[in-house]
Amino acid sequence: MKVLHFVTGGFSGATKVAVDLITAHNQIEATKNLLVLRRKKTTVPEKLVELDNKNIDYRVITGTTHLATVHELRRLCEQWQPDILVAHGFPEHILGRQAGLLAKVPHLVQVEHNSKERYTPWKLYQTRKLSRSTDKVVAVSKGVASELSKQNLEAPVQAITNGIDSHRYGGTTMLPLVERPQDLIMVARYAKSKDHVTLIEALYQLKRKGIALSLTLVGSGRKRYENEVHSLVKRYNLGSQISFIKYSNEVDKLLMQHKAFVMSSRFEGLNLSVLEAMASGCVVIGSQAIGVEELINDGVDGFLFPIGDDKVLAGIINNVLSDPKAYEQLTTTARKKVLSSYDKKQVTQAYYDLFQQLLEKL
């Protein structure tokens, strides 16, 4: 079995899923996997080194224009001759399947990682047309599957919920909430959809009430939005309360130093950072966005707030951090749910089973 995964080189959640699948499937005999990254500004050497360390076979192809990307990927497919091409995310799932068709790859799979994308009428026409030649469309959550049902695709849609490495996050040495030195953390790339602004506004509201909490923001991304966040922090004089970390390969350790995790997204596919925080024993506070809401049972294993509502968010944060000891059972419930339902071993097995089914059609 030869499987080629094509995904953005931006090292987003989609890239992470592709890397996890290849890492797991590389352990299976008679299986060859190739990761192809579409070059982005954030396709930097330190991130590529991590792929080398995991012994992942990868190529980085041009991202200058869509036409150039399709041309280069087509040539690579003709040389490597995969049995299955898995195209992750938008617009890569369009470009990847176009190249796969031109190279006559036997099986094409689309993986949709988000519940909301910038589909113009032309792009929607392209993805509908490509669905006729696509064996399967995989949605990374039930919410994404529901959104895909509105696109009138001709390929069957299957939900394979994303998962995490539950052995890496949490473990037996987690500190109780009251002993954790830091208050809040959010792990997300800088993009308007992640809505860091709502969290900053909530933090400012608490400051005005005399409640000064620490916040760690981990991530990089769109410079314009990152500058907007920094400007807001400066305007509210919150600099002494907030630590900015552009990139860390020790997010697991960072999470276990914090009492609460916030995900203020406006939309998602399925947010892996939420699952990682739940596994790490943080009190998770998430927006009622697709890809976040379905992960949290409000008041049982985390808390939900209306999208963009900084006032409600501020209230929840204040309640949790005023008496963190009261929420230890909630974090235990959250961790048990992740271990039982969102372990990536289940995810990688589901994808492998799908690939095996496709090969039976040959």
Side-chain angles (χ1 to χ4, degrees):
M1 181 193 298
K2 296 180 72 176
V3 183
L4 186 153
H5 292 263
F6 177 59
V7 67
T8 174
F11 286 85
S12 62
T15 317
K16 187 174 182 179
V17 170
V19 169
D20 284 346
L21 290 174
I22 291 174
T23 302
H25 294 167
N26 276 346
Q27 308 306 312
I28 302 172
E29 289 186 15
T31 302
K32 291 185 178 180
N33 301 279
L34 178 64
L35 176 66
V36 181
L37 302 171
R38 179 172 172 242
R39 186 178 293 280
K40 308 285 283 186
K41 290 180 180 179
T42 47
T43 312
V44 292
E46 55 264 35
K47 294 181 180 179
L48 296 176
V49 166
E50 289 189 20
L51 301 179
D52 291 320
N53 293 339
K54 293 179 178 179
N55 295 316
I56 290 177
D57 187 8
Y58 70 90
R59 310 283 192 279
V60 179
I61 66 173
T62 183
T64 53
T65 66
H66 287 185
L67 186 62
T69 298
V70 170
H71 177 68
E72 193 168 338
L73 182 57
R74 173 190 179 178
R75 287 193 304 168
L76 181 56
C77 287
E78 289 171 342
Q79 293 166 7
W80 201 71
Q81 295 189 333
D83 300 307
I84 303 168
L85 187 151
V86 186
H88 296 260
F90 177 86
E92 281 76 17
H93 72 70
I94 294 177
L95 306 179
R97 287 181 292 165
Q98 287 174 335
L101 279 176
L102 291 170
K104 296 181 172 57
V105 175
H107 297 288
L108 303 178
V109 175
Q110 172 193 347
V111 182
E112 185 61 82
H113 291 265
N114 222 328
S115 59
K116 184 178 180 182
E117 292 289 3
R118 300 181 299 277
Y119 280 103
T120 62
W122 170 240
K123 293 297 182 186
L124 190 55
Y125 168 78
Q126 286 181 303
T127 196
R128 284 172 178 164
K129 185 176 181 181
L130 285 165
S131 73
R132 301 171 192 165
S133 307
T134 301
D135 293 83
K136 187 79 73 171
V137 177
V138 176
V140 300
S141 71
K142 295 176 182 177
V144 172
S146 177
E147 291 299 306
L148 284 172
S149 68
K150 302 172 185 177
Q151 291 186 1
N152 297 319
L153 303 177
E154 295 187 31
V157 177
Q158 177 179 350
I160 301 180
T161 305
N162 279 347
I164 65 164
D165 183 352
S166 58
H167 294 292
R168 178 183 175 189
Y169 294 91
T172 58
T173 59
M174 290 190 295
L175 289 173
L177 291 177
V178 291
E179 295 181 23
R180 298 188 176 200
Q182 304 296 323
D183 295 321
L184 298 166
I185 185 170
M186 178 171 170
V187 182
R189 61 187 171 86
Y190 283 100
K192 280 192 176 294
S193 63
K194 300 298 182 182
D195 197 11
H196 296 70
V197 168
T198 291
L199 176 54
I200 301 300
E201 293 283 0
L203 202 66
Y204 177 58
Q205 286 192 37
L206 292 171
K207 179 184 177 181
R208 291 175 63 187
K209 295 178 181 179
I211 304 168
L213 303 175
S214 65
L215 169 64
T216 303
L217 294 177
V218 184
S220 58
R222 293 187 178 276
K223 201 65 181 176
R224 181 181 297 180
Y225 184 66
E226 183 177 353
N227 290 339
E228 182 182 335
V229 171
H230 279 270
S231 295
L232 192 61
V233 169
K234 185 176 180 180
R235 186 195 315 164
Y236 291 156
N237 196 25
L238 292 169
S240 62
Q241 296 176 227
I242 301 178
S243 299
F244 293 93
I245 301 175
K246 281 188 174 292
Y247 174 72
S248 174
N249 58 6
E250 296 187 330
V251 170
D252 52 332
K253 295 178 182 177
L254 283 172
L255 288 170
M256 289 196 293
Q257 294 171 10
H258 290 77
K259 299 178 182 73
F261 174 94
V262 177
M263 180 50 63
S264 49
S265 262
R266 292 186 171 271
F267 59 87
E268 290 285 346
L270 184 133
N271 192 280
L272 293 174
S273 293
V274 168
L275 295 175
E276 291 166 356
M278 293 171 82
S280 301
C282 299
V283 177
V284 173
I285 306 167
S287 64
Q288 293 172 332
I290 292 175
V292 175
E293 185 177 28
E294 71 180 72
L295 299 177
I296 299 170
N297 187 356
D298 190 32
V300 176
D301 51 34
F303 295 98
L304 292 167
F305 67 95
I307 295 170
D309 195 328
D310 53 279
K311 294 181 178 61
V312 173
L313 175 57
I316 296 172
I317 291 171
N318 187 36
N319 289 340
V320 169
L321 295 181
S322 294
D323 185 15
K325 188 175 181 179
Y327 299 95
E328 287 288 358
Q329 182 55 53
L330 180 145
T331 63
T332 299
T333 302
R335 176 166 167 76
K336 286 181 179 178
K337 180 166 77 172
V338 173
L339 294 179
S340 63
S341 302
Y342 295 101
D343 190 286
K344 72 178 182 182
K345 287 182 180 179
Q346 300 168 358
V347 180
T348 55
Q349 185 61 51
Y351 275 94
Y352 186 74
D353 291 344
L354 169 61
F355 298 160
Q356 288 280 60
Q357 290 168 14
L358 296 183
L359 290 183
E360 290 173 2
K361 295 181 179 179
L362 284 174

